[in-house]
Amino acid sequence: MKNQILVTGGTGYIGSHTVVELQQAGFDVVIVDNLCNSKAEVVDNIEKITGIRPQFECFDLTERQAVRDFFGKYKQIKAIIHFAALKAVGESVSKPLEYYRNNLTALMNILEAMRDFGVPNIVFSSSCTVYGQPEHLPVTESTPRLPAESPYGNTKAISEDIIRDFCKATQGVSAIALRYFNPIGAHPSALIGEAPVGVPNNLVPYITQTAAGIRQQLSVFGNDYNTPDGTPIRDYINVVDLSKAHVVAINRLLNGSNKANYEYFNIGTGRGLSVMELVNAFIKSTGVDLNYKIVGRRAGDIEKIWADTSLANNELGWKAEKNIEETLLSAWNWEKNVRGIK
Ligand code: NAD
Ligand code: UD1
């Protein structure tokens, strides 16, 4: 029998790609999502890609009884990948309570259910935001975490701590937190991808929407940073590569090859790219010209960060494989598909 995995937030951006990779690796997937930032059609598109329809339960994970009812019904779940969270950094500054309530209550309901219903394993979506602006680059897992810049970032740091303490206190449970750098791109089928609501905050969706003519111009936020071309540097990781890291983490937990019952890994490419390098790579790989303008810095942005991925490479045996050109082309193909552009 296939091992059954619960994917919370499985109709969202990273979750949907991970459901595809899990199904293709032979897992039976159950999605829970309340569709606050995604659409039910994603389930159809996952089925189009894999030929398998994942089970889907629509409810809010902050509702404790609903979570308990779910685990009472699905008794075969062997592991959870917990993606479900609110993730808009700017919005979290104006609505801190909503972010703390949603992200922390959902996590605690799930951990409580793991304990009470005997589910042994969880993989958690963390973020490189826990490092803030590090002093030394690239960042390793032993780089100290810095105080969070936003309530969203703080929910990630607090969630990591809650999971660590839960694993220490609870016999028979194990967790892996994956600290994602900047996920971008879409599935090569162009059937699933990132679907931001309203004006995108993140760079790549803004680029593809500008290329599609939905936005007039990309604003490049600052070229006076202490970097070779003056624009900030990030580690952009292909979403399919990132999704595969979750399959590896699940296998590690299921076969008991984890070295501690709470582990955490950086998931990036190990390579930093500046905003202008990314813009130029987009133009080169798609052949589409991009209208952009250098404007002032965006408040709260850090100057540069990229990952040391040695631990994930050596310990998980996982490595990012796709190059930036094919990743940006996949983002553009997805945008074209969504907009009906030939
Ligand atoms: P997303 O918004 O596309 O997906 C999250 C999903 O969770 C959505 O479908 C949403 O409807 C669902 N959800 C939220 N709250 C819920 C609740 N209370 N009950 C049920 N469902 C709920 O986001 P994503 O980009 O796929 O991110 C997935 C995870 O990865 C999040 O935890 C996010 O914080 C983390 N992360 C994302 C990035 C990034 O750049 N995208 C970077 C680092 C970490
Ligand atoms: C932000 C969050 C991070 C979160 C990530 C993905 C902050 C401080 N960090 O990361 O916690 O995990 O989003 O949701 O908010 N840029 C432009 N023009 C644009 C958009 C972006 O020049 O229109 C630049 C930014 O200045 C930045 C780079 O592009 O240098 C990447 O920005 P973005 O995609 O928003 O990601 P981060 O800021 O790295």
Side-chain angles (χ1 to χ4, degrees), residues 13-14 33-34 36-38 60-61 83 87 102 152 156 183:
Y13 172 44
I14 306 168
D33 202 298
N34 67 353
C36 70
N37 198 37
S38 57
D60 188 331
L61 289 157
F83 290 106
K87 63 158 184 176
N102 191 74
Y152 164 75
K156 293 298 173 193

Side-chain angles (χ1 to χ4, degrees), residues 49 87 94 125 173 183 209 212 220 237 244-245 261 267 276 332 340:
I49 297 171
K87 63 158 184 176
S94 53
S125 300
V173 299
Q209 290 196 10
V220 173
I237 167 87
K244 288 181 176 162
N261 67 350
I267 303 293
M276 278 317 299
W332 176 230

Side-chain angles (χ1 to χ4, degrees), residues 8-15 32-39 59-62 82-87 102-103 106 124-128 152 156 180-183 194 202:
T8 75
T11 48
Y13 172 44
I14 306 168
V32 169
D33 202 298
N34 67 353
L35 302 177
C36 70
N37 198 37
S38 57
K39 298 211 165 77
F59 66 90
D60 188 331
L61 289 157
T62 64
H82 183 44
F83 290 106
L86 298 176
K87 63 158 184 176
N102 191 74
N103 294 2
F124 175 70
S125 300
S126 191
S127 168
C128 70
Y152 164 75
K156 293 298 173 193
Y180 316 155
F181 282 65
N182 286 52
E194 189 170 9
N202 296 118

Side-chain angles (χ1 to χ4, degrees), residues 13-32:
Y13 172 44
I14 306 168
S16 58
H17 289 80
T18 302
V19 172
V20 167
E21 295 304 317
L22 285 167
Q23 289 184 325
Q24 290 177 338
F27 291 101
D28 176 23
V29 178
V30 184
I31 294 173
V32 169

